[in-house]
Amino acid sequence: MDIVIRSSYSKANLDSLEKYTGKSKPYVKSAVDAACLLRMIDNQDNGYFATVKQCSELLTAKPSEKLKIAVFRKWLQAWEPFILFLRHLAMGDSLEVSARRLSSFYSFNKDIKAIFELLSLWAKTCNLIDAKGSLIIKEYELEVKELTEDFSRDLLDDVGVRLYLNRVLGDEVFQWLTHSELEELVASLLTYQDNPRSAIECSRRAYEDILRRLSIEIGTIDVKKIGAKSGISELANGVLYAYRDDLGTAYSFINTKQRDISQAIGSIRNMAGHSMEAKSMERWELSSTAAIGKILTTISSIRSLFHYIKYSKYLF
C-alpha cells in the first residue's frame, strides 16, 4: 500500500519507490508486481508507475492502517483468482488444497506453497479468514435488506456476491469471463434493489460482451460480420443461431431455446434502456423483482451457452 500511496502523488519508478519505502529493490519490485496484478497501479512508459484513479480517490494524504487495508481489500476481492481461492475454502478445502486447485486454472510463476502463504496472509490481514484458515464471511443471499453507506458493509456484500457468482457459474466459466464482464455482473447484483433499471443495464452490457466474445471464439464465424450485430437479440439470432457464411451455408451454434431465452433477455433490457414505448409513449416501471429475475436468468444463460458451445452439453 505504500507503493500505491506514493504512486498516487505522481508517477514513480523503482528508485523513487525504494527511497520512499526504505525497502530493498527486490522487495519493492515484488510489491510493484502485486499492485499491478491487483490492478491498483498501472505500468506507465519508461518504467514509471501510477495509481489508478479509482484507487487514488479513496486514499488520503496520510491514510490510516484501517483505510489502507480496506482499500487493499477492495481491489483484492475484485481479483478473480482470489475469489476462487475463497470459494474452495468455503467448500471445506484447506489453504494448501485451495491454492493447488486455484493453480490448475491460472498460471503463476511461484510454487504452490508460496501461493497459499501469500493468499493466506492477504486473507487474514483483510479479516476474511481466521487464524485456523476458515472463511469468516458468508456468501451473498438474495434477500431484501437495508442498504448502508458503511464501507466495511459494502465490502462484505461485494466479496459475497463474487463468491455467489463463482458457485452459480462454476470455476471454469468464472475463470473464462473477463474482468470487465464480471464487474458488470457484480454491479448488477449489488444495485438491483436500489436501482433496478441500472442493474438491468449492467447485466445487459456483460451479456452482450459475452455473446460477442463467444461468437469470436467459435472460429468459423467471420469476425467482420459480428461488428454489424450490435444487440443481444441480433447476436443470439443472427450470429450464434442463424449464421450464414459467404457461400450461404447456414450454421447454428446454439439451441433454439437458448436463442429464445437470449431474445427474452434482450426484450427486458429494452424495457430498461429505452425511454418510452414508440406507440404508447409510456415508460416501463421496473421493480427489483423484475431486475433480479432478469439478472439470474442472464447468469444461468451465460453458463448454459458456455457449456453448450464448448462441450455440446444441455445445461441450464
Side-chain angles (χ1 to χ4, degrees):
M1 284 308 298
D2 287 339
I3 297 295
V4 174
I5 292 165
R6 168 60 184 86
S7 301
S8 68
Y9 295 139
S10 61
K11 292 181 181 179
N13 58 19
L14 289 177
D15 288 335
S16 60
L17 293 172
E18 186 180 350
K19 291 175 183 176
Y20 183 81
T21 60
K23 302 292 185 180
S24 67
K25 194 172 290 278
Y27 189 99
V28 170
K29 178 64 167 61
S30 179
V32 166
D33 289 344
C36 287
L37 183 70
L38 299 181
R39 308 181 185 95
M40 302 186 81
I41 64 175
D42 287 329
N43 192 343
Q44 306 287 305
D45 296 332
N46 303 318
Y48 281 82
F49 305 92
T51 302
V52 298
K53 182 180 178 183
Q54 300 94 321
C55 184
S56 182
E57 289 175 344
L58 293 174
L59 296 167
T60 60
K62 192 175 181 180
S64 64
E65 289 300 308
K66 185 177 181 180
L67 179 57
K68 286 182 186 179
I69 292 172
V71 173
F72 175 75
R73 175 176 162 177
K74 181 175 176 64
W75 264 261
L76 175 63
Q77 62 193 42
W79 183 50
E80 289 77 25
F82 185 69
I83 295 300
L84 263 70
F85 176 70
L86 293 185
R87 181 64 195 161
H88 283 289
L89 287 178
M91 293 189 295
D93 292 335
S94 67
L95 294 169
E96 189 165 2
V97 169
S98 297
R100 187 177 74 242
R101 291 182 175 169
L102 174 67
S103 298
S104 72
F105 288 98
Y106 297 92
S107 298
F108 300 108
N109 58 352
K110 295 181 181 293
D111 60 37
I112 292 174
K113 183 179 179 182
I115 293 168
F116 93 77
E117 286 179 348
L118 180 62
L119 295 182
S120 300
L121 176 62
W122 284 353
K124 288 176 183 176
T125 301
C126 293
N127 199 33
L128 291 167
I129 62 174
D130 59 25
K132 295 180 180 179
S134 299
L135 198 63
I136 296 173
I137 56 94
K138 294 181 179 179
E139 184 182 303
Y140 184 72
E141 295 180 359
L142 297 175
E143 60 182 4
V144 177
K145 55 188 173 185
E146 292 294 323
L147 295 174
T148 175
E149 296 299 323
D150 180 68
F151 193 36
S152 296
R153 180 68 251 172
D154 291 343
L155 288 173
L156 281 174
D157 286 344
D158 180 88
V159 72
V161 163
R162 294 174 195 278
L163 285 169
Y164 173 80
L165 281 170
N166 176 236
R167 178 174 64 80
V168 174
L169 291 169
D171 286 354
E172 188 177 10
V173 181
F174 186 87
Q175 184 271 335
W176 172 77
L177 294 180
T178 67
H179 178 70
S180 60
E181 291 160 0
L182 277 169
E183 290 303 299
E184 293 285 13
L185 292 175
V186 169
S188 69
L189 285 170
L190 288 173
T191 59
Y192 82 90
Q193 292 183 67
D194 191 42
N195 195 336
R197 191 176 299 275
S198 175
I200 290 172
E201 278 291 280
C202 288
S203 64
R204 184 274 303 174
R205 286 190 291 269
Y207 197 58
E208 193 171 297
D209 288 346
I210 289 164
L211 290 180
R212 188 171 288 105
R213 196 155 62 86
L214 274 170
S215 300
I216 292 170
E217 289 183 6
I218 285 171
T220 57
I221 291 177
D222 185 352
V223 177
K224 294 179 181 178
K225 291 185 177 181
I226 300 174
K229 310 294 184 181
S230 58
I232 290 173
S233 295
E234 289 179 309
L235 286 164
N237 187 51
V239 177
L240 290 171
Y241 181 73
Y243 176 77
R244 289 185 178 273
D245 62 18
D246 292 336
L247 299 176
T249 306
Y251 297 90
S252 184
F253 301 100
I254 62 175
N255 184 270
T256 307
K257 292 181 175 61
Q258 292 173 318
R259 178 203 59 181
D260 294 345
I261 292 168
S262 294
Q263 289 183 317
I265 290 172
S267 294
I268 298 172
R269 177 267 156 184
N270 289 339
M271 292 181 182
H274 295 170
S275 55
M276 292 183 181
E277 286 290 308
K279 294 182 178 179
S280 65
M281 294 302 291
E282 295 287 338
R283 193 182 194 208
W284 287 97
E285 294 183 15
L286 299 168
S287 67
S288 59
T289 303
I292 193 59
K294 189 266 185 186
I295 293 165
L296 294 180
T297 302
T298 298
I299 293 168
S300 294
S301 187
I302 291 167
R303 179 170 172 260
S304 178
L305 290 170
F306 177 88
H307 284 281
Y308 188 87
I309 291 174
K310 297 285 184 180
Y311 305 116
S312 300
K313 188 174 181 180
Y314 288 77
L315 179 68
F316 194 82

